[in-house]
């Protein structure tokens, strides 16, 4: 079960400077058990877990020139299991009179393991949070009164301690493929952290409007 509350406010300092800010709190409780296939086997005890995260954030948006918008923000997450983490984000959009839109952004991410990933029958209580950093830059061109729109974006994302699900074979001797606390019972898989994941590449899109008909196309090419 989850219990969550949040507050968000905004301030317009002028017609070109504005800010948003907020506070969030989420409490999660987990309880689960997996009965054996045989009805003669007693029900196992419930697996239980709790977690609480409190976050505060703020973002400032500025329009120094007509058509140019810059924004920057900071967020602080306080997790009762994994401690505090400060995250930054920034970006900009430049809308030119030629119908061209130029975008760029940078962001950081933090994702704690879910209670299911830590305490379910596939859980791993030793999991650590995922952390990510990434940036992207792209251009979009509007033509013929917005009837044709072409765009392309380059992205680069790095993730450390990414959480993945690992399947177990029936003959493996991997200790993680056995139920924690009961090494006589096998399980079909478990969650674990990957040391590092790096993805970069290009995404392209096109939209064509012909009367009441709209045609869309997308292309993505990932490197690494």
């Amino acid at each position: 079960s989850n219990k969550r509350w949040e507050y968000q406010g905004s301030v317009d300092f002028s017609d070109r400077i504005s800010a948003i800010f907020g506070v969030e709190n989420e409490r999660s409780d987990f309880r689960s058990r997996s009965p054996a296939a045989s009805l003669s086997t007693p029900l196992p005890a419930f697996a239980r877990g709790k977690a609480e995260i409190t976050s505060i954030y703020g973002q400032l948006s500025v329009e120094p020139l007509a058509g140019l918008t810059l924004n920057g923000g900071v967020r602080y997450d306080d997790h009762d299991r994994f401690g505090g983490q400060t995250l930054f984000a920034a970006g900009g959009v430049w809308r030119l009179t030629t119908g061209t839109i130029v975008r760029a952004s940078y962001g950081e991410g933090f994702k704690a393991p879910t209670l299911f990933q830590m305490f379910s029958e596939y859980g791993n209580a030793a999991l650590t949070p995922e952390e990510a950093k990434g940036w992207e830059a792209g251009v979009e061109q509007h033509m013929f009164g917005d009837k044709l729109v072409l765009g392309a974006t380059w992205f680069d994302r790095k993730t450390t301690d990414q959480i993945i699900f690992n399947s177990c074979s029936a003959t493996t001797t991997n200790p993680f493929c056995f139920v924690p606390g009961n090494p006589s019972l096998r399980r079909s898989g478990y969650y674990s952290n990957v040391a590092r994941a790096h993805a970069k590449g290009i995404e392209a899109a096109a939209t064509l409007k012909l009367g009441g008909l709209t045609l869309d196309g997308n292309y993505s090419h990932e490197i690494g």
Side-chain angles (χ1 to χ4, degrees), residues 50-68:
K50 292 183 178 181
E52 181 177 1
I53 183 169
T54 301
S55 306
I56 58 175
Y57 62 88
Q59 178 177 302
L60 182 68
S61 180
V62 180
E63 187 179 353
L65 301 172
L68 175 62

Side-chain angles (χ1 to χ4, degrees), residues 65-137:
L65 301 172
L68 175 62
T69 302
L70 304 176
N71 58 75
V74 62
R75 180 185 181 94
Y76 178 76
D77 292 329
D78 183 20
H79 197 287
D80 65 347
R81 288 182 174 272
F82 302 107
Q85 185 79 15
T86 302
L87 307 171
F88 297 95
V93 179
W94 194 7
R95 302 177 183 273
L96 304 175
T97 57
T98 58
T100 305
I101 302 176
V102 180
R103 309 175 189 269
S105 64
Y106 167 81
E108 300 175 346
F110 167 85
K111 182 182 179 183
T114 66
L115 295 177
F116 181 85
Q117 291 171 335
M118 289 192 293
F119 300 114
S120 71
E121 61 178 306
Y122 312 107
N124 179 358
L127 289 174
T128 58
E130 296 180 349
E131 296 184 21
K133 295 180 180 180
W135 65 270
E136 62 180 36

Side-chain angles (χ1 to χ4, degrees), residues 10 23 25 59 105 113 130 146 177 179 189 201:
S10 63
V23 181
N25 177 271
Q59 178 177 302
S105 64
E130 296 180 349
D146 287 340
C177 289
V179 176

Side-chain angles (χ1 to χ4, degrees), residues 6 14 21 27 34 37 47 58 73 103 115 122 130 150 163 172 179 183 190 207 209 211:
E6 64 177 297
S14 70
F21 53 91
R27 297 182 181 183
S34 300
R103 309 175 189 269
L115 295 177
Y122 312 107
E130 296 180 349
L150 303 174
I163 299 173
T172 182
V179 176
Y190 62 95
T207 300
K209 295 181 179 180

